[in-house]
Amino acid sequence: MPASLITGWGKCLPPAVLSNADLEGLTDTSDEWITTRSGIKERRISHVETSDLAAVAARHALAAAGRGAEEIDLLLVATCTPDRLVPAAAALVQQKIGAARAAAMDLNAACSGFLYGLAVADQMIRAGSVRRALVIGAEKLHFFLDFTDRATSVLFGDGAGAVVVEASEEAGGLLAFELGADGTAAEILCIPGSGTEGEPSRERRSRVQMEGPAVFRRAVEAMGDASLRVLEKAGVSLEEVDLLIPHQANLRIIEATARRLGLDGSKVMLNLADYGNTSAASIPIALAEALEQGKVRPGALVVFAAFGGGLTWAAAAYRWGARVTPLAASAASLAPVGRSGRELLEPNVLLYGKGV
Ligand code: UT7
């Protein structure tokens, strides 16, 4: 049975920045509160659609893998903020990058979506039905932010990350994964009004709602437990782990998870200070940056762990291959933005108002 290997990686961060200082003018918060409670300093606000972010990340991942878009059999976009419900964002990405041979679908497991997607691609590759997959995590979360709610609006940001996954006879690749969900906790992190529940209405408004502390407690538990189970399934020990790439939601959650696993801070990938919580995009963006920064060495044992709305959780144990550098680079980039992060949020402020 072939293994599945990540052969390419890429990211796309929209250029407009929203700093904690910008947020002080939008909602009743402070740089000090956001920094100490979450570790976030700034986030990006997208001037384009989710599929545009995804397409740029995908082009970088394809170049890194030395593959053309037409070589992809499966295109999977993990997102909870697709451009439209129909068609799937994946179909729009397929059109934008020219992946004409690929089956295309979206997958929504909120912030755990990328790891769910990686598991789906891995299993289809092992089953022999797919040889090459593009797995993308992409979000335009700011669309759903209400700045009268300081408990949610300071946490999230936009972006995309992508990987190319290929069948390989080499040993290693995705060793094991662990996926789970607890739908009884659906209400503690949700976007009511974003789907078909209730009656059709012109007044429909949908915004992120969250019970932060409850999500926090369950996140530490779920990420830690899933990581331990996945290591057991893979038959490797905690001591062998070279790098943990966790979902970038909150520095305190990540630190508590690392403590629970007994992992030294130097083995934990962090970039949430720059991007906030980008949901399904956070792990593939962090992976691309870990590779850029030389934090993934040939043969490294990498553990991924995530949790999110659902509540969902996921973990994966991955043995990196010999190549940690891209085969080629892509010049793909977004259309220029003429507005600041703060200016791009004007529609949200017009809809809900400000919290200050
Ligand atoms: O991908 C999954 C997405 N979700 C998460 O990762 C969320 C997980 N939860 C968290 O990260 C944390 O619970 C938060 C960062 C959301 C909140 O941190 P916390 O330490 O759990 O704070 P808290 O909710 O218990 O609130 C403490 C205080 C409250 O004031 P009082 O009642 O003590 O007067 C809040 O009203 O902080 C207040 N507060 C804020 N103050 C300034 C809540 N949000 C803010 C804010 N700025 N943005």
Side-chain angles (χ1 to χ4, degrees):
M1 196 187 284
S4 68
L5 282 192
I6 295 175
T7 57
W9 48 91
K11 63 175 183 177
C12 175
L13 279 314
V17 173
L18 186 78
S19 67
N20 288 352
D22 293 328
L23 277 163
E24 288 176 351
L26 275 171
T27 194
D28 182 14
T29 193
S30 64
D31 172 45
E32 202 260 333
W33 190 96
I34 302 171
T35 306
T36 54
R37 297 291 177 122
S38 74
I40 299 165
K41 296 301 280 183
E42 57 186 44
R43 66 290 290 142
R44 302 296 177 88
I45 304 299
S46 183
H47 62 300
V48 295
E49 302 307 332
T50 299
S51 65
D52 298 314
L53 301 172
V56 170
R59 286 184 193 278
H60 288 287
L62 285 167
R67 295 287 179 195
E70 68 292 343
E71 294 182 90
I72 298 298
D73 306 315
L74 171 69
L75 198 166
L76 214 154
V77 177
T79 184
C80 56
T81 52
D83 310 23
R84 301 170 178 176
L85 286 178
V86 179
L92 303 175
V93 175
Q94 191 223 37
Q95 175 206 99
K96 284 173 185 169
I97 67 173
R101 284 187 44 247
M105 67 172 173
D106 287 0
L107 187 158
N108 178 0
C111 307
S112 310
F114 175 77
L115 293 184
Y116 268 64
L118 197 59
V120 170
D122 171 71
Q123 293 296 289
M124 289 184 76
I125 286 171
R126 283 175 192 272
S129 51
V130 159
R131 279 200 63 76
R132 286 181 206 101
L134 247 177
V135 182
I136 307 171
E139 304 281 10
K140 183 178 169 180
L141 284 158
H142 91 258
F143 184 88
F144 290 110
L145 294 182
D146 166 3
F147 291 93
T148 64
D149 181 2
R150 63 181 180 171
T152 56
S153 58
V154 304
L155 300 175
F156 298 99
D158 304 335
V163 294
V164 174
V165 189
E166 303 195 38
S168 165
E169 297 307 325
E170 263 182 61
L174 192 61
L175 304 178
F177 59 83
E178 172 80 21
L179 309 177
D182 176 5
T184 64
E187 295 305 314
I188 70 172
L189 177 48
C190 53
I191 310 182
S194 55
T196 60
E197 64 191 351
E199 300 294 327
S201 147
R202 283 184 197 284
E203 278 73 49
R204 170 178 296 262
R205 290 180 180 189
S206 42
R207 58 189 197 111
V208 176
Q209 291 180 16
M210 181 173 72
E211 292 173 33
V215 176
F216 189 110
R217 278 192 302 278
R218 299 179 67 126
V220 173
E221 211 179 283
M223 289 215 295
D225 287 353
S227 301
L228 291 173
R229 279 197 300 272
V230 89
L231 288 174
E232 198 184 314
K233 273 189 187 172
V236 289
S237 70
L238 262 173
E239 292 69 47
E240 293 174 68
V241 174
D242 294 299
L243 188 64
L244 171 69
I245 302 187
H247 170 44
Q248 306 284 310
N250 183 316
L251 181 60
R252 290 185 299 139
I253 293 176
I254 295 173
E255 286 173 346
T257 305
R259 265 200 308 278
R260 217 164 154 235
L261 297 176
L263 272 185
D264 188 74
S266 62
K267 292 186 170 181
V268 181
M269 177 62 197
L270 291 175
N271 66 0
L272 86 171
D274 300 332
Y275 308 131
N277 179 346
T278 57
S279 187
S282 93
I283 287 182
I285 294 172
L287 171 62
E289 297 202 338
L291 281 148
E292 281 164 21
Q293 295 164 13
K295 290 187 170 151
V296 180
R297 301 200 182 284
L301 179 64
V302 180
V303 172
F304 301 99
F307 70 95
L311 291 181
T312 56
W313 59 84
Y318 187 92
R319 177 72 68 188
W320 205 267
R323 182 168 60 81
V324 291
T325 49
L327 286 177
S330 161
S333 63
L334 298 174
V337 54
R339 285 176 290 167
S340 67
R342 171 65 188 82
E343 285 165 344
L344 289 166
L345 293 172
E346 211 40 50
N348 300 56
V349 172
L350 278 173
L351 182 60
Y352 294 114
K354 289 204 259 183
V356 281

